[in-house]
Amino acid sequence: MFDRDKLISDLIGEEGERFVVYDDATGKQIGPGDTLQGHPTVGIGHALDLTPFTDAQARMICGWDIDAKTPAVYTQWPWLSTQTEPRQRGVADLAFNMGVQKLSAFTTFLSLLKAGKFDAASEDLAATAWAREVGPARTAHIQNLIRGTLAMRRNKGRHSSLSATVNLLNAEIRKLPEAYRPLVGGVLTLGQRHWKLVAYVAGLGCFLLGHFV
């Protein structure tokens, strides 16, 4: 097997190493409206049209971008760290899309968010030129994060699933020999109070049902 690091060094010398997308036929950086003569290329001879990024690569690069941009968000709005995770994520999403400088111009939205007027903040966001540009789907998603309704919907769905699981297990508990019902019922009650234990409760119930029914 060849030395991979040495090959990379060889290719840097031969292909060059560019940190912007360029036309490999002309060597010129590609800008909006440019006409290509060759392949859009970046890095060390990576032709984007011939070898598109994989999902894992795209997510990795996105993660790098988030890590690079996030510090500026909290430097600009230190009060954001006191907000809920969905609201912090909503502002980070906006900053990722338009940049901190442009988002800073959304003074009404940011003031309302800081003041805890989340419905008003989300409505103000929906009235911006940004919302018209990105469309209703992305706007609605950010609005839900700001309002907190997305988390509420997820919690509602989670608790609905929990309720269905509890009802099913209660029905199965009634089939157990009477001596075992208090034990399994007690664990089930604990699981209702601490929903993360539901998987354990379900597993225990299945074990007991399999051995005693």
Side-chain angles (χ1 to χ4, degrees):
M1 183 64 180
F2 59 81
D3 187 314
R4 184 170 176 271
D5 289 335
K6 287 183 179 179
L7 178 58
I8 291 174
S9 296
D10 292 342
L11 290 172
I12 290 174
E14 297 160 357
E15 298 277 350
E17 186 175 19
R18 302 281 297 275
F19 305 114
V20 295
V21 181
Y22 65 96
D23 186 333
D24 70 348
T26 64
K28 293 182 179 179
Q29 180 178 339
I30 297 172
D34 286 350
T35 300
L36 289 174
Q37 296 183 29
H39 301 284
T41 305
V42 70
I44 306 168
H46 185 91
L48 292 168
D49 59 333
L50 300 179
T51 312
F53 289 141
T54 64
D55 178 71
Q57 290 169 331
R59 287 172 180 269
M60 180 173 63
I61 293 171
C62 182
W64 293 341
D65 290 341
I66 290 171
D67 292 342
K69 295 177 180 180
T70 295
V73 172
Y74 289 100
T75 298
Q76 185 74 18
W77 305 291
W79 52 265
L80 184 63
S81 61
T82 65
Q83 300 291 325
T84 61
E85 185 280 329
R87 291 184 181 111
Q88 292 184 50
R89 179 156 37 99
V91 173
D93 191 320
L94 291 168
F96 186 95
N97 178 253
M98 71 178 77
V100 168
Q101 184 175 358
K102 288 185 178 180
L103 182 56
S104 296
F106 286 43
T107 53
T108 302
F109 164 74
L110 292 166
S111 297
L112 290 169
L113 178 59
K114 184 179 181 180
K117 299 178 181 180
F118 306 123
D119 286 343
S122 65
E123 291 304 320
D124 181 78
L125 182 66
T128 62
W130 171 86
R132 292 189 293 274
E133 179 184 339
V134 301
R138 187 168 190 172
T139 301
H141 175 68
I142 302 297
Q143 284 185 290
N144 286 334
L145 291 174
I146 298 303
R147 285 184 177 128
T149 52
L150 191 61
M152 290 170 59
R153 288 173 185 171
R154 286 176 177 171
N155 286 337
K156 183 177 180 181
R158 182 185 73 192
H159 290 302
S160 296
S161 298
L162 172 58
S163 178
T165 302
V166 169
N167 290 338
L168 176 62
L169 287 175
N170 274 326
E172 295 300 324
I173 287 171
R174 287 193 288 271
K175 299 177 184 178
L176 288 171
E178 189 170 350
Y180 297 102
R181 292 178 191 173
L183 171 63
V184 180
V187 176
L188 179 59
T189 299
L190 180 64
Q192 287 177 274
R193 293 175 182 170
H194 305 280
W195 66 270
K196 290 183 178 179
L197 295 177
V198 168
Y200 167 76
V201 173
L204 177 62
C206 291
F207 172 80
L208 291 174
L209 291 172
H211 282 74
F212 298 109
V213 178

